[in-house]
Amino acid sequence: MLFSGLLFALRVLSWDDAVRYVNWGVVLLYGGAIAIGGALDETGATRWLVGAILPDGGLGPWLTFVSVGVLASGFTEMVSNSAVMAVLLPVALPISEQVGVSPRAVTLLAPICAGFAYVLPTSTPAMTIVYGTGYLRITDTLPGILITIVSLITFFALTAFLWPLVGLSVYG
């Protein structure tokens, strides 16, 4: 904000140019997504939701592993992936360890699966930029649901078959 104000004060940038070349909808979209993520964290709503979906010891190791990945991808559709990691990992790690999932596997799983959110503009910066061009509507991005599902299935298959070959294990 300081540098923006300085550009205006020095008359390097005019308000008309700022309005014309900056997609303020995208700025507000990201600001809102970060604010929502912060509010969900501060109120404990996300912890409650993760705790309700991943009950202590109620799921087996593999189902817990898959659930954390799906939650990371799903939550990232609504808020920024940084907020998702800040909220999801502190809750998912102890629950995962309790059911026998490796913490190392969960710390790799969560950010990778958070990157598999391809539907809403809030999901990834790339989707925000594409949506911000104004050429797409939300309905145009709905095929991203299929891409997300295929990405998750492929990732889980690879973790089952390839991770052990490189010395990684889902099981702790």
Side-chain angles (χ1 to χ4, degrees), residues 47 50-51 54-57 64 90-101:
R47 285 188 182 88
V50 171
L54 295 175
D56 293 342
T64 299
V91 178
L93 279 169
I95 292 171
S96 298
E97 261 186 308
Q98 184 178 3
V99 297
V101 176

Side-chain angles (χ1 to χ4, degrees), residues 11-73:
R11 298 179 190 255
V12 173
L13 180 66
S14 71
W15 181 251
D16 290 335
D17 288 338
V19 171
R20 187 174 346 161
Y21 295 115
V22 175
N23 188 333
W24 292 103
V26 170
V27 172
L28 293 173
L29 178 75
Y30 255 95
I34 291 169
I36 289 169
L40 290 172
D41 185 36
E42 290 295 320
T43 62
T46 308
R47 285 188 182 88
W48 172 82
L49 182 59
V50 171
I53 294 172
L54 295 175
D56 293 342
L59 303 174
W62 185 251
L63 192 53
T64 299
F65 183 77
V66 169
S67 297
V68 170
V70 170
L71 282 173
S73 182

